Amino acid sequence: MSDEIDKRGVLEDEIFDYTLTKDGRVLLTWHGKHVKTLAGAEAKKFLARIEGLEGVDAQLVMAKVTGNFKRGNEKK
């Protein structure tokens, strides 16, 4: 399914990453730049969705959570 969504193969480069902080927040990064912070129920929901995923599937979850990363004209 992720192949249908990521037709250009951008997510294969693993452009997104996340860090879980001691206080339970999730910091999402894109090309190493902080783009979104999740806290509380939103952070727990994200962690449940991404658990056990790797590669393009995990990248897709992070891309959807960050929001406006689908036009292809984002600058690094």
Side-chain angles (χ1 to χ4, degrees), residues 33-50:
K33 296 178 183 178
H34 178 255
V35 291
K36 186 161 186 156
T37 300
L38 306 175
E42 191 177 23
K44 289 178 184 176
K45 182 179 175 183
F46 168 80
L47 292 170
R49 286 181 65 197
I50 204 157

Side-chain angles (χ1 to χ4, degrees), residues 25-76:
R25 292 180 298 140
V26 175
L27 308 176
L28 290 157
T29 58
W30 174 71
H31 289 288
K33 296 178 183 178
H34 178 255
V35 291
K36 186 161 186 156
T37 300
L38 306 175
E42 191 177 23
K44 289 178 184 176
K45 182 179 175 183
F46 168 80
L47 292 170
R49 286 181 65 197
I50 204 157
E51 183 178 355
L53 297 180
E54 347 181 296
V56 175
D57 294 328
Q59 291 294 303
L60 184 58
V61 169
M62 289 182 272
K64 287 181 177 182
V65 169
T66 57
N68 199 17
F69 284 90
K70 47 189 148 185
R71 294 189 180 84
N73 62 350
E74 293 81 21
K75 303 261 189 274
K76 290 184 194 176

